[in-house]
Amino acid sequence: MGLARRIAMGIGLHKEFPTWETNHPTIEMRRRVWYCLYIFDVGAIITFSRPLDFPDDGIDVELPLNIHDSVSSPSGYFEANVSDTCIQDITSGTKKSPQSANETTVYTHLRAQATFHMASSQIYSRIISSPFPSATELIELDDRLIGHWLARTPKFFQENVIQSPKSRLCHSIVSWRYRNFRILMYRPFLVGRLRARSERGASTAQENEIDFAIQRCLDAARESVQLISSFWTHEQRSMMACWYGLYFLFQAVLIPVICLRNDPQCALATSWRDQISHAIHVLESMTQLNTTASRCPGVIPSLCGSYFDPSVDRWGPTEVTANATGESIPIDVANIGNGSFRRYGFGNESTILDLMNQLPGFE
């Protein structure tokens, strides 16, 4: 990715050259290639918790236009309100830049992901830095940057708008992605609250803000499980849908898992068990397309232990759980926030791959 970025910049894909005498399809193709590279590179940076080294200064390339550029539209390929005729908004003879289409095209998702990463890059830089930002700061950044991004999403691509079959996966991925990012933002406050409870660390001047941050984390995890489960139940299943669904679902379900283990008598415990059950059901069905998914349904109940059984009463936060070899796996509140806890993927610098490689059943 680093080499691809440097080659792209070396040939000037990051710049607009208004004085160039070139045709519009060439200009659009340059923009599309640049922003495809951008979203893949930044996506990988976030996935592996790497420093954000994609430059902002000196980048002035415009987003690709939201236009149709297929020479023909087979029946059912475009949205229902687009006739099955030749559709090509830009050709080699185009002299003037066309107007953006007021409907979903193949470039709508590219634009949505690119603008999301542009909006969230400042937040990401803060959450991988020390000291970790306060709840007040993150909530303000969330409302200002991600909230603004959500508000500017085209009406035809907003979350509640039904898409054509060919656009439903990319439309859903945008919803899954920004909720996953909110989980990453607010998870440390949830973990910190559980740790403070076990250490009797109680009060802080920002309790209300921390409560709000924790609620956003819980909401994002619950909504992720619901959305991915619904998609997997009602939409066409594909390898791509399985890959994205597995990645976002596994991270989301870790939130109710750790909550259930550490506060099994909470009024939300029933909801947490429901989320875990739905996630396990989806992960089991994903094994038909992705063998990696077969590792997850066994790991999640092993992390939950007896707390997953609603018939068990008189729970208290557990100290350890053990894998098949008898090795103790500490995920209790006493270990939250230290190296042993981060080892299992809940710490800020950990990645999902670290977690999956070190939990029981992933050796």
Side-chain angles (χ1 to χ4, degrees):
M1 294 300 295
L3 179 60
R5 185 202 308 168
R6 282 161 177 78
I7 292 175
M9 297 180 74
I11 61 177
L13 294 186
H14 63 299
K15 303 295 287 185
E16 290 282 334
F17 296 96
T19 59
W20 274 10
E21 293 184 3
T22 186
N23 56 37
H24 283 277
T26 300
I27 295 173
E28 278 302 297
M29 188 58 69
R30 291 170 60 88
R31 293 168 177 169
R32 294 164 188 172
V33 172
W34 173 260
Y35 278 105
C36 281
L37 172 63
Y38 173 72
I39 63 174
F40 278 119
D41 200 359
V42 176
I45 287 170
I46 295 173
T47 296
F48 298 108
S49 261
R50 296 168 180 159
L52 185 62
D53 60 349
F54 206 104
D56 289 325
D57 297 334
I59 309 297
D60 58 19
V61 60
E62 296 181 11
L63 287 168
L65 295 173
N66 186 52
I67 57 176
H68 299 297
D69 67 353
S70 287
V71 174
S72 62
S73 173
S75 179
Y77 188 76
F78 286 110
E79 285 68 27
N81 59 336
V82 178
S83 60
D84 295 339
T85 58
C86 289
I87 299 176
Q88 194 170 19
D89 291 338
I90 191 168
T91 68
S92 58
T94 300
K95 302 297 183 183
K96 184 179 179 181
S97 183
Q99 293 291 323
S100 291
N102 194 31
E103 59 197 0
T104 303
T105 74
V106 71
Y107 301 109
T108 308
H109 178 230
L110 175 61
R111 290 169 57 91
Q113 283 224 57
T115 52
F116 171 74
H117 287 313
M118 284 187 257
S120 59
S121 60
Q122 180 182 347
I123 304 174
Y124 178 73
S125 295
R126 290 291 295 117
I127 65 176
I128 63 169
S129 303
S130 270
F132 194 80
S134 67
T136 303
E137 180 183 352
L138 277 187
I139 291 168
E140 188 277 328
L141 288 171
D142 189 357
D143 292 342
R144 177 164 55 87
L145 299 174
I146 297 181
H148 182 64
W149 170 78
L150 282 169
R152 294 189 64 185
T153 301
K155 290 183 179 180
F156 54 82
F157 205 63
Q158 290 180 355
E159 190 170 289
N160 60 345
V161 177
I162 298 175
Q163 303 292 315
S164 68
K166 81 178 186 72
S167 300
R168 286 175 189 166
L169 176 58
C170 65
H171 180 251
S172 297
I173 287 172
V174 173
S175 297
W176 304 345
R177 183 178 295 282
Y178 96 79
R179 286 179 170 85
N180 175 259
F181 192 79
R182 276 186 167 165
I183 292 172
L184 299 180
M185 288 172 61
Y186 297 118
R187 185 174 59 190
F189 299 106
L190 173 65
V191 170
R193 172 62 58 79
L194 295 172
R195 183 185 183 189
R197 179 169 59 84
S198 72
E199 295 178 353
R200 303 173 187 173
S203 62
T204 166
Q206 296 182 324
E207 279 299 313
N208 290 336
E209 288 82 359
I210 292 174
D211 287 342
F212 193 66
I214 290 172
Q215 191 58 52
R216 283 196 174 180
C217 182
L218 295 175
D219 289 344
R222 172 178 50 79
E223 291 166 5
S224 294
V225 172
Q226 291 173 345
L227 289 170
I228 297 170
S229 299
S230 177
F231 183 93
W232 196 251
T233 300
H234 299 107
E235 302 298 339
Q236 183 178 1
R237 300 177 181 181
S238 65
M239 185 67 75
M240 186 67 72
C242 185
W243 193 94
Y244 276 104
L246 173 61
Y247 177 77
F248 290 124
L249 181 59
F250 191 77
Q251 293 184 73
V253 77
L254 291 177
I255 299 302
V257 164
I258 189 173
C259 288
L260 184 62
R261 280 193 62 104
N262 289 287
D263 198 4
Q265 293 179 323
C266 177
L268 295 174
T270 299
S271 174
W272 295 333
R273 292 190 186 93
D274 288 343
Q275 293 171 45
I276 295 168
S277 295
H278 286 136
I280 291 174
H281 176 73
V282 172
L283 291 167
E284 287 174 343
S285 65
M286 284 180 172
T287 59
Q288 301 173 14
L289 290 175
N290 189 332
T291 55
T292 303
S294 63
R295 305 174 182 180
C296 301
V299 169
I300 294 171
S302 72
L303 290 174
C304 294
S306 61
Y307 300 96
F308 191 50
D309 183 357
S311 65
V312 178
D313 58 5
R314 294 185 181 179
W315 291 297
T318 188
E319 294 183 359
V320 296
T321 185
N323 63 13
T325 64
E327 176 191 6
S328 293
I329 303 173
I331 59 173
D332 61 297
V333 291
N335 287 301
I336 293 174
N338 66 15
S340 64
F341 188 84
R342 288 194 297 269
R343 173 189 170 203
Y344 292 96
F346 295 94
N348 218 19
E349 63 280 274
S350 299
T351 70
I352 192 67
L353 294 180
D354 294 332
L355 171 65
M356 296 175 75
N357 285 331
Q358 297 190 53
L359 284 173
F362 280 81
E363 290 83 355

